[in-house]
Amino acid sequence: MTTQATPRTQVNLAGLSRADYKGHNSTLCAGCGHNSISNQIIAALYELNVVPENVVKFSGIGCSSKSPTYFLNRSFGFNGLHGRMPSLALGALFADHTLKGIGISGDGDTASIGMGQFKHVMRRNLPMVYVVENNGVYGLTKGQFSATAEVGLELKRQGVNKYFPVDICMEALVSRASFVARSFAGDPKQVKEIFKAAFSHRGIAVIDIISPCVTFHNKEDSFHSYTWGKEHEIALHDITYVPAREEITVEDFEEGSTREVTLHDGATIVLKKLERDYDPTNIFEALRVLYEAEQNNWLLTGILYVNPDASTIFDMYNLPDTPLNRLPTEKLRPSRESLDQIMEQMKF
Amino acid sequence: MSQLLPASVRDNGTVGDRIVNDFCITFSTVNGSGSATANTILLKSLFRMGIPVNGKNIFPSNIQGLPTWYSIRLSKKGYLARVEMDHLVVAMNPATLATEMKFLVPGGVLFYPDDFKLDIERDDVVLYPMPVKRLVKEADAPQNLRDYMANMVYVGVVAQMLGIDLDVVYQVLDAHFKGKKKAVDSNWQVILAAANWAKENLVKCDPYYVEPMPPLEGYIITEGNVASALGAIYGGVQLTAWYPITPASSLAESVMEYLPSLRTDPDTGKATSVVIQAEDEIAAIGMAVGAGWAGLRAMTSTSGPGISLMAEYLGLAYFAEVPVVVWDVQRVGPSTGLPTRTAQGDLTFVNFISHGDTEYVILLPGNVKECFEFGWKSFDIAERLQTPVLILTDLDLGMNYHISPRFDYPDQPMDRGKVLWEEDLQKILEKLDGKWGRYLDVDGDGIPYRTVPGNRHPASAYFARGTGHDEMTRYSEDPDVWERGLNRLRKKIHNNLHLLPEPVIERLEGAKFAIVGFGSTDPAIQEARDLLAEAGFPTDYMRIRSLPFRDEVCGFLHEYDRTYVVELNRDGQLKQLLTMNFSECGSRLRQVSHIDGMPITANWIKERILLMEGK
């Protein structure tokens, strides 16, 4: 007699299967870099054993901002206004400081209309991952220049771009973001590892991901294309994210060729030296390598800067352990006596 | 300089009948000279003597150097609106003397520093020179405080000449400086010296007197913005996001002032409410909408230019059904307009704010007590209806001191609306065979149930959006779904208008026509009704306190052939909205627009209505 094995779904330490992290089917173009990013977010959160109910998703407007529906169906999400996602996220996360935010934005949403809110959420160090799916073009309105488009880029119906591009990582750095990285949608392994590190970071974590638009902006010689990216990507380091409970095995990382950064929750990012030694805790170095990359026409990827000890906005407020949105009404309305007292004072 | 008597006194040797507790005194000073303290102390001293008073600050959009005026009206009958003429003027600013003289009544009084070069042609004014510099010098005040102390000279002189009780002045001074002995003493020294000087050197030859009245039991004195802030705090506000703007700043600042004492959890020592100064008004409303969506009682406070910036977010909050409270302390628009003057010019804008079909609950407090009351009620309404609530006050109500009956402690428990936490959600899922959706009208009242982030039930999450969505929150471009959703939003509010404050209706025997108004014009309209009645025109009066209009509004309008709609804007915005809603009454409504940026007066209303009546 033979017994048939029951098919068993593989689960992570949270007891969840990969399906528990899925979203709806994407309605973006086939081959869009954004879809690849959504898949890596799913993979990263599955591997991190994150409970989806502990995450809240936010986005603005644009192709990028549709993508929060393509992952984590079991997480709350709010697709808000163009360029105004940071303020929405800030208000919402104050309701329950134990939640972790994931914001998905685009280059138009962040670097054009949303530049102000982007920079202010950096200086407030709101604990969330802020992903910019950066393709240098407005996709949803069918192909106009964005503020990250390179000088000289030619688009059908738009002509040639005249203006200097915004470098999102540089803007994040000078606004004192506490975690700044750049990646390339065509390098999914790196996207995943950086996302894991960003998610574990306590503070704002910006990941500028060059994510080619296959429909409106994928010329082979363009900065935001797959071909150009694959040919010009220079990774600062190989990144491995090691959760707090896993030991770092020595054989994987030879002594002298790695640099470790311990994140707030005890997890470690191990940056394996490639051609250069790079200190991701040095903001001047980060700005310098970005400038160098720009001068040399490189797509420089990796974790550019991290300050694991920066105070978050929640450290600046005297918040209770109980999430604010769980406080019972008796904690919210001051006593009758206190009003009597104020009324007495107002007799003068 | 010797004291000059007006012609009437010189000729007849009499001062005329005493005028007691019924006049207006205006202090003309230079902005930034610290006169606010002096004026407030006089105002509050009068209030403590039991005299109904109101103070109006007419100030420039400037930090230092431009002229500013403060008018205190005393009214034994309790009329608290602005009046057009001054009976007494304290002129501390030589640059505006000519202006002051234009508004001083015949037989009026002018107090002025004795080093002013008086260049006035009128001989019907009582002149009281004050040795300001000498008294300040003798008080040995530090150099940097001499300008401030100069104002205390007029406090002392005016108190002495009008008969304001100096003991009361001392009590108010002590309360003002919260008992800080040094500040109290140095100011008191100047006040006392000035009062003594006046007693010995000035001969009273004007008819204006202050006399104590029975105490105003159960009354307080405060500013609307403080009342609004307290209302929010007693309403359980948990997140206030704001951006500085005149005349709304003191609302959020008052929230900050009172939170530590009122909203620190005694058990944990932790804050139960946070305030965030945003980078602009778009971010401020964004934070408030995010917080409201996530289950906090959230608000922002601003004025016209800020409201303009908040338009897009308010449309999102309306459509995504997010509770949030927005205070608009109105100033004069359009554009930057007159930032330090008062108006009711935002009414139609906020009523229609944001693109597409929208509709908002708007509350219109008419006094500081209602600022407090609507402050806490607004959160109950916003959370019950899952929609933005806008509260319109104005500079006059918000920034000036008003006397008021004490505020009543909220008489209803907080209504957090249809929020589902884990167990509630489980129950409703069982009841509905698992078919719960965020925008599903389960109860048939148009109000769906909502979950908020932080709910750990695996079925709690949904994706909020400003794009088309069905009852289950899925993106949808289906024509029927869209129409159904938009109609439910309308039903949700219109089915529940009983939650909004009803209009206040007051009637007089034999009224031939009616007056309608809202907000800060109430004291002037009340007084105008008395003036009109004295002239033989008794009126009925409806003060509207909320939009969309309740049925009572329509009923009232139908009763009269003529209804005068009094408001502080050029285009008759309330009249427009009434005409739009009750077109059958449109031709019976008459527009009474007051648009110069100053608080409206009873006399102006009376004259305008009589003119329109053809009298």
Side-chain angles (χ1 to χ4, degrees):
Chain A
M1 200 173 131
T2 56
T3 55
Q4 203 170 350
T6 327
R8 277 212 340 218
T9 315
Q10 201 183 340
V11 295
N12 60 12
L13 290 178
L16 299 172
S17 74
R18 210 169 258 269
D20 292 315
Y21 295 84
K22 287 221 160 116
H24 296 298
N25 291 333
S26 172
T27 58
L28 298 173
C29 306
C32 175
H34 301 0
N35 290 333
S36 161
I37 296 167
S38 296
N39 290 333
Q40 294 317 310
I41 292 173
I42 290 171
L45 293 172
Y46 173 79
E47 290 172 22
L48 286 174
N49 308 303
V50 169
V51 176
E53 284 76 25
N54 294 341
V55 174
V56 193
K57 307 173 287 181
F58 302 96
S59 61
I61 294 292
C63 291
S64 61
S65 296
K66 290 174 166 231
S67 51
T69 48
Y70 310 143
F71 59 89
L72 288 187
N73 262 355
R74 279 176 47 180
S75 302
F76 277 86
F78 202 146
N79 176 205
L81 298 181
H82 200 19
R84 319 297 180 208
M85 176 262 279
S87 58
L88 190 74
L90 189 145
L93 291 173
F94 257 100
D96 185 344
H97 63 278
T98 67
L99 295 170
K100 183 87 185 189
I102 298 176
I104 308 289
S105 182
D107 38 312
D109 197 57
T110 285
S112 292
I113 189 170
M115 185 68 107
Q117 295 212 349
F118 171 70
K119 293 183 76 89
H120 283 277
V121 80
M122 301 296 121
R123 63 183 269 268
R124 295 196 169 99
N125 203 24
L126 179 70
M128 72 181 286
V129 182
Y130 190 123
V131 174
V132 184
E133 298 180 341
N134 182 353
N135 57 17
V137 70
Y138 285 78
L140 210 50
T141 51
K142 302 197 170 180
Q144 296 82 19
F145 296 119
S146 92
T148 63
E150 63 266 36
V151 176
L153 174 69
E154 198 173 345
L155 289 177
K156 195 176 158 188
R157 298 171 77 178
Q158 306 300 317
V160 179
N161 180 38
K162 303 177 191 68
Y163 308 120
F164 205 76
V166 169
D167 186 312
I168 286 166
C169 291
M170 279 197 187
E171 298 296 340
L173 283 167
V174 297
S175 310
R176 298 314 181 98
S178 53
F179 182 112
V180 180
R182 175 164 282 152
S183 191
F184 173 49
D187 187 351
K189 181 184 173 290
Q190 192 201 46
V191 169
K192 186 176 79 177
E193 294 301 311
I194 289 180
F195 188 88
K196 282 172 157 177
F199 193 86
S200 294
H201 173 68
R202 192 172 169 277
I204 190 91
V206 180
I207 319 176
D208 178 33
I209 307 179
I210 306 305
S211 175
C213 173
V214 291
T215 305
F216 296 106
H217 183 190
N218 195 28
K219 284 189 190 168
E220 290 190 357
D221 58 346
S222 159
F223 180 82
H224 292 91
S225 72
Y226 277 120
T227 319
W228 194 93
K230 288 222 189 284
E231 282 170 7
H232 293 76
E233 183 187 3
I234 296 184
L236 273 170
H237 30 233
D238 268 346
I239 301 161
T240 304
Y241 170 84
V242 186
R245 66 192 156 274
E246 283 179 23
E247 264 183 61
I248 302 166
T249 47
V250 181
E251 54 272 20
D252 283 352
F253 306 103
E254 289 161 35
E255 205 62 42
S257 67
T258 64
R259 185 179 284 277
E260 286 174 27
V261 179
T262 307
L263 297 171
H264 200 272
D265 66 354
T268 313
I269 25 177
V270 180
L271 309 171
K272 188 176 177 190
K273 179 180 167 184
L274 290 175
E275 289 165 11
R276 61 193 72 215
D277 197 8
Y278 181 73
D279 175 7
T281 62
N282 183 333
I283 194 169
F284 292 108
E285 266 299 285
L287 287 164
R288 191 190 63 73
V289 295
L290 282 171
Y291 185 72
E292 183 186 39
E294 182 192 284
Q295 295 300 304
N296 290 294
N297 221 18
W298 298 334
L299 170 53
L300 187 73
T301 60
I303 295 172
L304 293 158
Y305 179 70
V306 57
N307 174 7
D309 303 319
S311 297
T312 74
I313 188 167
F314 298 139
D315 298 331
M316 302 164 200
Y317 287 80
N318 182 28
L319 294 176
D321 295 337
T322 309
L324 281 179
N325 70 2
R326 297 241 183 204
L327 291 179
T329 54
E330 59 268 25
K331 296 273 186 199
L332 303 182
R333 174 164 287 166
S335 68
R336 189 180 289 272
E337 293 68 37
S338 67
L339 184 64
D340 289 343
Q341 223 168 37
I342 293 169
M343 293 299 101
E344 283 303 306
Q345 289 158 5
M346 285 183 174
K347 280 160 75 177
F348 283 94
Chain B
M1 190 176 196
S2 66
Q3 195 183 325
L4 292 179
L5 304 182
S8 59
V9 180
R10 286 199 306 267
D11 298 345
N12 307 327
T14 61
V15 176
D17 291 341
R18 285 160 63 100
I19 298 170
V20 180
N21 297 348
D22 189 19
F23 54 85
C24 176
I25 178 166
T26 286
F27 306 88
S28 162
T29 55
V30 177
N31 204 31
S33 66
S35 56
T37 304
N39 301 335
T40 305
I41 282 167
L42 280 171
L43 177 78
K44 290 186 173 179
S45 298
L46 294 165
F47 168 64
R48 291 292 292 163
M49 289 177 71
I51 304 159
V53 280
N54 179 260
K56 299 233 183 281
N57 192 9
I58 310 299
F59 61 107
S61 182
N62 158 268
I63 298 302
Q64 211 166 41
L66 289 181
T68 179
W69 292 271
Y70 194 79
S71 294
I72 297 177
R73 181 181 182 188
L74 297 75
S75 168
K76 59 187 167 203
K77 289 185 188 160
Y79 293 134
L80 299 172
R82 185 175 75 91
V83 285
E84 286 141 4
M85 298 298 281
D86 299 315
H87 304 92
L88 304 96
V89 166
V90 177
M92 300 295 282
N93 182 2
T96 56
L97 207 52
T99 311
E100 267 75 274
M101 297 316 291
K102 272 194 273 181
F103 292 99
L104 193 58
V105 298
V109 179
L110 183 70
F111 295 89
Y112 62 99
D114 60 4
D115 58 338
F116 273 19
K117 243 181 83 183
L118 267 200
D119 188 18
I120 54 172
E121 288 171 2
R122 289 175 59 171
D123 65 353
D124 62 342
V125 173
V126 180
L127 299 176
Y128 292 133
M130 306 178 288
V132 174
K133 283 204 172 131
R134 182 161 66 80
L135 288 169
V136 171
K137 204 176 164 195
E138 283 171 10
D140 207 18
Q143 191 67 39
N144 59 335
L145 291 180
R146 285 197 180 169
D147 280 353
Y148 292 87
M149 294 301 179
N151 298 313
M152 292 304 153
V153 171
Y154 73 68
V155 172
V157 173
V158 168
Q160 175 62 36
M161 297 309 285
L162 291 180
I164 300 174
D165 187 339
L166 282 174
D167 289 343
V168 174
V169 174
Y170 184 83
Q171 288 167 25
V172 172
L173 189 71
D174 189 57
H176 183 87
F177 287 106
K178 298 189 166 79
K180 281 179 212 139
K181 199 170 175 337
K182 204 173 158 193
V184 176
D185 286 352
S186 55
N187 282 289
W188 177 242
Q189 208 186 335
V190 178
I191 293 171
L192 200 59
N196 284 334
W197 174 86
K199 193 175 177 181
E200 285 159 21
N201 294 282
L202 293 178
V203 179
K204 173 87 174 172
C205 44
D206 68 82
Y208 299 103
Y209 288 88
V210 164
E211 284 177 8
M213 287 172 66
L216 284 160
E217 281 301 339
Y219 271 73
I220 56 154
I221 186 162
T222 192
E223 301 129 293
N225 283 349
V226 175
S228 305
L230 285 170
I233 290 171
Y234 281 81
V237 65
Q238 293 171 284
L239 185 139
T240 305
W242 70 294
Y243 186 76
I245 187 169
T246 304
S249 296
S250 60
L251 202 166
E253 285 164 351
S254 299
V255 173
M256 287 192 281
E257 186 186 332
Y258 280 102
L259 276 187
S261 60
L262 293 176
R263 292 289 298 279
T264 302
D265 185 339
D267 300 332
T268 62
K270 301 286 185 180
T272 63
S273 187
V274 298
V275 180
I276 302 158
Q277 186 183 321
E279 59 266 35
D280 56 35
E281 287 90 344
I282 301 175
I285 182 76
M287 291 170 188
V289 169
W293 172 68
L296 296 186
R297 296 204 141 182
M299 73 170 201
T300 183
S301 51
T302 188
S303 188
I307 282 285
S308 289
L309 287 174
M310 293 180 184
E312 192 183 15
Y313 248 120
L314 280 167
L316 174 66
Y318 171 74
F319 187 61
E321 302 185 54
V322 177
V324 64
V325 171
V326 179
W327 289 86
D328 176 5
V329 186
Q330 297 169 97
R331 64 191 220 187
V332 175
S335 192
T336 309
L338 296 173
T340 60
R341 297 296 149 83
T342 203
Q344 298 176 322
D346 297 351
L347 186 66
T348 47
F349 181 62
V350 300
N351 187 68
F352 297 110
I353 197 167
S354 210
H355 53 278
D357 288 316
T358 60
E359 184 169 43
Y360 301 93
V361 171
I362 299 169
L363 306 184
L364 304 165
N367 49 58
V368 292
K369 193 163 189 258
E370 287 180 354
C371 285
F372 178 80
E373 181 189 334
F374 295 1
W376 62 264
K377 276 192 178 154
S378 59
F379 289 110
D380 291 347
I381 298 168
E383 291 197 322
R384 171 55 51 183
L385 297 181
Q386 303 177 12
T387 199
V389 172
L390 295 117
I391 311 178
L392 265 60
T393 66
D394 61 21
L395 183 141
D396 181 19
L397 181 52
M399 288 187 73
N400 286 323
Y401 274 103
H402 304 268
I403 65 168
S404 161
R406 292 163 66 111
F407 303 159
D408 297 326
Y409 192 73
D411 57 359
Q412 295 151 30
M414 271 186 209
D415 179 4
R416 302 301 311 260
K418 297 186 186 178
V419 176
L420 303 172
W421 285 100
E422 287 83 350
E423 286 176 16
D424 317 312
L425 176 59
Q426 188 55 39
K427 274 185 210 153
I428 207 164
L429 282 169
E430 283 161 16
K431 191 174 130 195
L432 299 173
D433 294 329
K435 277 195 199 133
W436 171 76
R438 162 69 181 97
Y439 297 117
L440 200 62
D441 184 5
V442 176
D443 301 332
D445 59 357
I447 308 171
Y449 287 84
R450 67 181 186 126
T451 50
V452 298
N455 185 327
R456 262 62 173 190
H457 193 294
S460 65
Y462 71 97
F463 197 72
R465 54 171 101 235
T467 43
H469 47 257
D470 66 11
E471 286 81 354
M472 308 307 285
T473 74
R474 290 173 295 230
Y475 178 73
S476 169
E477 296 173 359
D478 183 308
D480 292 337
V481 167
W482 178 263
E483 191 174 340
R484 201 162 65 225
L486 217 56
N487 285 333
R488 182 180 58 75
L489 289 180
R490 187 171 174 78
K491 174 182 170 187
K492 176 176 82 165
I493 291 176
H494 282 262
N495 264 10
N496 291 288
L497 292 180
H498 62 276
L499 297 176
L500 313 187
E502 73 284 5
V504 176
I505 293 172
E506 294 175 27
R507 298 178 193 273
L508 282 178
E509 187 72 36
K512 296 271 189 317
F513 55 86
I515 298 175
V516 168
F518 70 101
S520 70
T521 54
D522 185 50
I525 293 177
Q526 294 284 16
E527 187 181 352
R529 290 179 64 222
D530 286 357
L531 297 175
L532 284 165
E534 282 166 25
F537 298 91
T539 56
D540 287 350
Y541 171 42
M542 172 171 64
R543 181 163 62 85
I544 292 174
R545 301 196 299 167
S546 62
L547 269 84
F549 298 119
R550 290 173 47 130
D551 289 345
E552 296 93 328
V553 174
C554 179
F556 183 88
L557 294 181
H558 273 95
E559 292 180 41
Y560 307 92
D561 293 336
R562 300 185 305 289
T563 296
Y564 292 91
V565 186
V566 177
E567 48 192 318
L568 308 182
N569 56 65
R570 184 191 65 185
D571 296 338
Q573 298 184 10
L574 179 61
K575 178 175 168 281
Q576 288 176 5
L577 294 175
L578 289 168
T579 304
M580 190 187 82
N581 280 274
F582 314 112
S583 54
E584 68 282 9
C585 300
S587 61
R588 308 188 213 164
L589 302 181
R590 299 187 173 188
Q591 181 181 334
V592 183
S593 282
H594 185 268
I595 56 165
D596 65 2
M598 300 290 277
I600 198 168
T601 68
N603 190 52
W604 187 92
I605 296 171
K606 181 199 81 176
E607 294 293 327
R608 181 57 59 106
I609 288 177
L610 287 180
L611 190 72
M612 291 169 82
E613 281 285 306
K615 304 297 172 190

